[in-house]
Amino acid sequence: MDTATMQTDEQTVIEAVLKGKTQQYTMLLSRYGNEVMAFVGRMIHNREDAEELTQDTFVRAFAQLRSYRREVAPFGCWIRRIAYRETLMYLRRCKLPVISLDDSEHPLLLADSMWADNVAEDGCEGGRVGLLEKAIRQLAPADQQLLHLYYNDNRPLRDIAYIVEREPAYLATRLQRIRKKLFQMIKKAEQHEQQR
């Protein structure tokens, strides 16, 4: 099914739900349930909590369905934006420990940005891929999500900016800082392994 047909179908379902045919909402649940669960699961590594947050996302989306505007963003981006908010609120309530990009133990300004950009290229050899994966898991969940949306889902910064409610320029800078941070973490881990 092409994108235009899918959006028309979604709009038809949304209009039906808003007119009282709430059972049709299950079509949106079926279409986006797994995607939202995967999206939340990248930030929340406990399956039960991720399932609960996915349910909360769809309940919140149902309650806010009148505010959805397809001319602003596709439904998939809109529902991810709600999932992102729900997940961040959960993380704030739980106060989960994460490494901040602003942590003084990991100075970003010392990292050469050329080296940071080469991590992905060099990462395919030896143990660097494993070190990179380990470093990514130590980042704040929101930073992990940003990396995943940009590199794995190949979403444009414009879509990501809508989902996380930030400006594209801010996200571009954030991605650069994350790459530098990851490079520093990998470099430190490699030095630690060499000292063994």
Side-chain angles (χ1 to χ4, degrees), residues 39-61:
F39 180 85
V40 171
R42 287 192 293 269
M43 295 174 72
I44 305 294
H45 302 292
N46 178 303
R47 182 170 179 80
E48 291 173 0
D49 291 342
E51 287 173 352
E52 187 174 326
L53 283 165
T54 299
Q55 291 172 2
D56 291 349
T57 296
F58 279 97
V59 168
R60 175 95 44 188

Side-chain angles (χ1 to χ4, degrees), residues 45-128:
H45 302 292
N46 178 303
R47 182 170 179 80
E48 291 173 0
D49 291 342
E51 287 173 352
E52 187 174 326
L53 283 165
T54 299
Q55 291 172 2
D56 291 349
T57 296
F58 279 97
V59 168
R60 175 95 44 188
F62 182 79
Q64 296 177 1
L65 201 53
R66 287 200 185 283
S67 70
Y68 170 66
R69 300 287 175 261
R70 77 175 168 180
E71 62 275 4
V72 175
F75 187 82
C77 283
W78 185 75
I79 193 94
R80 281 179 181 83
R81 183 181 203 173
I82 294 170
Y84 187 77
R85 288 180 189 164
E86 291 292 314
T87 305
L88 285 182
M89 286 190 308
Y90 168 84
L91 290 170
R92 286 182 189 122
R93 282 193 312 266
C94 293
K95 296 181 180 161
L96 298 176
V98 293
I99 294 175
S100 166
L101 289 182
D102 302 317
D103 190 335
S104 62
E105 279 188 39
H106 301 283
L108 298 174
L109 298 177
L110 299 178
D112 179 355
S113 84
M114 287 279 285
W115 290 353
D117 289 337
N118 289 334
V119 167
E121 294 170 20
D122 295 343
C124 296
E125 300 173 12
R128 272 199 156 179

Side-chain angles (χ1 to χ4, degrees), residues 10 12 21 28 31 35 67 93 118 125 128-129 131 170:
E10 287 172 357
T12 303
K21 296 180 182 177
L28 297 173
R31 183 173 290 162
E35 290 178 32
S67 70
R93 282 193 312 266
N118 289 334
E125 300 173 12
R128 272 199 156 179
V129 170
L131 291 174
Y170 169 83

Side-chain angles (χ1 to χ4, degrees), residues 6 25 30 56 67 80 100 103 106 117 133 139 141 144 147 152 171 179-180 190:
M6 195 164 82
Y25 191 66
S30 297
D56 291 349
S67 70
R80 281 179 181 83
S100 166
D103 190 335
H106 301 283
D117 289 337
E133 289 171 352
L139 293 174
Q144 291 178 37
L147 287 174
N152 294 24
L171 294 177
R179 286 194 304 267
K180 287 179 182 180
E190 285 176 334

